[in-house]
Amino acid sequence: MNLTVNLISGSWFWIAQIIYFVFLLVAITAAPWRTLFSNRQLQHLFLGTTVALMLLWQMRAGISPGLGIHFLGVTVLTLMFGWDLAILAATLALLGTTLIGQESWQGFALNGLCTIVIPVLVSQLILYLVERRLPKNFFVYLFLCAFVGAAIATLCGGLSMGFLLWISDVYSGTKIYHEYIQFLPLIMFPEGLLNGIIMTGMMVFYPDWIRTFDATTYIDKQ
């Protein structure tokens, strides 16, 4: 769901730019820089996941320009680092993808909004609701935050991209639906599965890598 060409312009282009850079600025302000700079393991995880995400985004499919679909992987980042560092890591991955020519510079903020900010915030919202409304259970956290959370985050990101292309008169609603929207459910399940498998491995073997997961609460007290 990335814009590899310059398609959207006008007022919606600038609105999307403003929203993305506002959230990027908030993430920069909120990020735990002191912890990141003092923790060598966290630095390696942050940079490693950034590179892995950049490589993941090279695998994509689509028909018309702007209607491409690929794995996002940002739900894992959100659960590992929190929403602030997740936005920053994914932004660095998007920057690298743009530098090698896979994305357009004009579409940088639009891609950032639809493939980073919105999915990350949706993942964070689901995490918040699970922690506030449901029991502290290993499987509840894993299934709802990782599997379901990733699927819903992908859907929201894809719908936001489709909305921007439609409201900007780039493509008709019918074309967007037939070439893009109807395929979103096909990527939602594997996206949820991918994020769930990664989170399962980390929760079992490396729970200290996950900022939002407290093994003492979710495992030891069960």
Side-chain angles (χ1 to χ4, degrees):
M1 53 189 70
N2 284 45
L3 293 176
T4 55
V5 293
N6 304 326
L7 295 174
I8 299 176
S9 59
S11 60
W12 283 101
F13 172 84
W14 293 109
I15 291 172
Q17 296 269 330
I18 292 171
I19 294 174
Y20 168 71
F21 283 112
V22 165
F23 276 103
L24 179 61
L25 180 60
V26 173
I28 292 173
T29 304
W33 294 109
R34 182 176 299 180
T35 302
L36 181 61
F37 288 137
S38 62
N39 190 321
R40 185 64 61 88
Q41 182 188 56
L42 181 58
Q43 293 173 20
H44 291 165
L45 283 174
F46 183 81
L47 295 176
T49 52
T50 298
V51 173
L53 191 66
M54 178 180 169
L55 295 175
L56 179 67
W57 285 354
Q58 306 310 305
M59 300 181 291
R60 64 188 65 200
I63 301 174
S64 300
L67 298 179
I69 292 178
H70 63 76
F71 288 110
L72 292 183
V74 297
T75 297
V76 167
L77 266 64
T78 306
L79 298 177
M80 285 183 66
F81 302 121
W83 70 271
D84 42 15
L85 289 181
I87 288 178
L88 297 180
T91 294
L92 290 176
L94 179 60
L95 178 62
T97 304
T98 306
L99 284 172
I100 64 176
Q102 290 290 329
E103 310 294 348
S104 69
W105 284 107
Q106 186 178 5
F108 185 88
L110 297 170
N111 287 326
L113 176 63
C114 297
T115 64
I116 298 174
V117 170
I118 290 177
V120 165
L121 294 182
V122 170
S123 300
Q124 184 68 34
L125 176 61
I126 292 173
L127 172 66
Y128 174 83
L129 294 175
V130 168
E131 290 184 332
R132 293 299 183 277
R133 304 290 180 85
L134 298 175
K136 300 288 186 179
N137 182 275
F138 178 95
F139 295 102
V140 170
Y141 176 94
L142 176 62
F143 181 73
L144 294 181
C145 295
F147 284 92
V148 177
I152 295 176
T154 298
L155 176 64
C156 292
L159 290 177
S160 65
M161 181 65 77
F163 173 78
L164 285 175
L165 291 170
W166 172 72
I167 201 70
S168 301
D169 291 325
V170 176
Y171 297 121
S172 67
T174 301
K175 182 179 180 67
I176 293 173
Y177 173 78
H178 286 294
E179 294 188 11
Y180 186 63
I181 300 299
Q182 69 173 354
F183 294 109
L184 286 179
L186 299 180
I187 195 67
M188 287 171 62
F189 178 77
E191 177 76 30
L193 187 62
L194 174 66
N195 284 262
I197 289 174
I198 294 173
M199 287 300 299
T200 300
M202 284 193 293
M203 289 167 66
V204 173
F205 297 105
Y206 303 102
D208 56 316
W209 287 7
I210 310 173
R211 182 179 176 185
T212 63
F213 179 74
D214 184 359
T216 303
T217 300
Y218 284 95
I219 299 177
D220 296 345
K221 293 184 179 180
Q222 298 303 311

